[in-house]
Amino acid sequence: RRHAIARYGAEVREVPGTYDDSVRAASAAAAAHGWHVVSDTSWPGYTETPREVMQGYRLMADEALAQWSGPPPTHAFVQGGVGGMVAAVSVQLRTLQPAPALVVVEPDRAACLLASAAAGCLTAAGDLDTIMAGLACGKPSLIAWQELDRAAAAFLAIPDAAAIDAMRALAACGVVSGESGAAGLAGLLLAAADPAARQALALDAASRVLLFSTEGATDPALYARLVPGGPA
């Protein structure tokens, strides 16, 4: 992933610690050098740029709904992270009547949105040791949480093994989806296999579920190891 970013001419600086540590380091460096922080996570005093990034995320849902045929989706299982992407999708889905039930899916070792829902306020959580690198976030985005706190139907934490199973299931259909990209499907498969979850979410044979695969094989070596013989 680092090399893929560097190919665009970026200087990549590694920061000891987690994603959240890197966000703080980037913010400090920007303040010291007069640079601009461009991030999809937000905090008090830094909301405008993340709001614009989230406007871009809304395009995914807009395109999906434009391609959808027949009755609209009843559910959407969408991966979390800091919440910017899933919150943007949530806003766009609320244009439907009735709006689909939004289920936020996170790694069980980085389930800050689930922890915030349980606590009723923004909460940091998780040791962030997960293969779902794009979702390994310890603290929700402020403006994303403001949307998800009122709009999400449920929050679901999944183990790494479930993400791997979903990657392999997608590969069997010819779809290359990375660890974080397959998380929504992983959450759906776990919920569908649990009678109590099915009942709580009104998930049945008539449900129409919208999923987003948000990355391909962004770590090609890891993808090849987890999905041997998968599609190119």
Side-chain angles (χ1 to χ4, degrees):
R1 293 185 178 95
R2 180 186 63 201
H3 294 322
I5 294 170
R7 282 199 297 269
Y8 287 94
E11 175 193 345
V12 180
R13 300 183 181 182
E14 294 190 18
V15 175
T18 66
Y19 168 80
D20 301 81
D21 295 317
S22 74
V23 170
R24 286 187 285 269
S27 181
H33 297 283
W35 298 342
H36 296 284
V37 177
V38 179
S39 172
D40 74 338
T41 192
S42 60
W43 53 88
Y46 179 72
T47 58
E48 192 56 36
T49 296
R51 195 180 305 278
E52 292 173 345
V53 174
M54 289 170 65
Q55 290 289 340
Y57 284 143
R58 288 179 66 176
L59 185 62
M60 298 191 331
D62 190 40
E63 290 178 337
L65 296 178
Q67 295 171 37
W68 191 280
S69 61
T74 58
H75 300 74
F77 282 69
V78 186
Q79 40 272 32
V82 298
M85 186 271 288
V86 63
V89 169
S90 173
V91 170
Q92 202 68 8
L93 292 181
R94 284 197 284 109
T95 63
L96 299 175
Q97 292 299 326
L102 179 70
V103 181
V104 181
V105 183
E106 301 173 277
D108 57 6
R109 296 177 180 176
C112 59
L113 297 169
L114 172 59
S116 298
C121 60
L122 278 176
T123 301
D127 61 18
L128 310 189
D129 183 18
T130 171
I131 64 167
M132 290 172 267
L135 306 179
C137 310
K139 187 175 182 180
S141 166
L142 172 64
I143 58 176
W145 176 245
Q146 291 169 350
E147 166 66 19
L148 296 175
D149 184 35
R150 62 185 178 129
F155 297 82
L156 178 62
I158 64 169
D160 282 359
I164 296 171
D165 288 344
M167 291 170 66
R168 293 172 177 170
L170 288 168
C173 300
V175 177
V176 177
S177 185
E179 309 84 55
S180 300
L185 175 59
L188 169 61
L189 294 175
L190 287 178
D194 184 303
R198 288 201 308 271
Q199 181 175 10
L201 296 172
L203 193 63
D204 58 30
S207 297
R208 300 175 299 279
V209 183
L210 176 61
L211 305 169
F212 293 89
S213 175
T214 47
E215 69 172 357
T218 50
D219 186 334
L222 180 60
Y223 182 86
R225 189 164 72 247
L226 297 178
V227 190

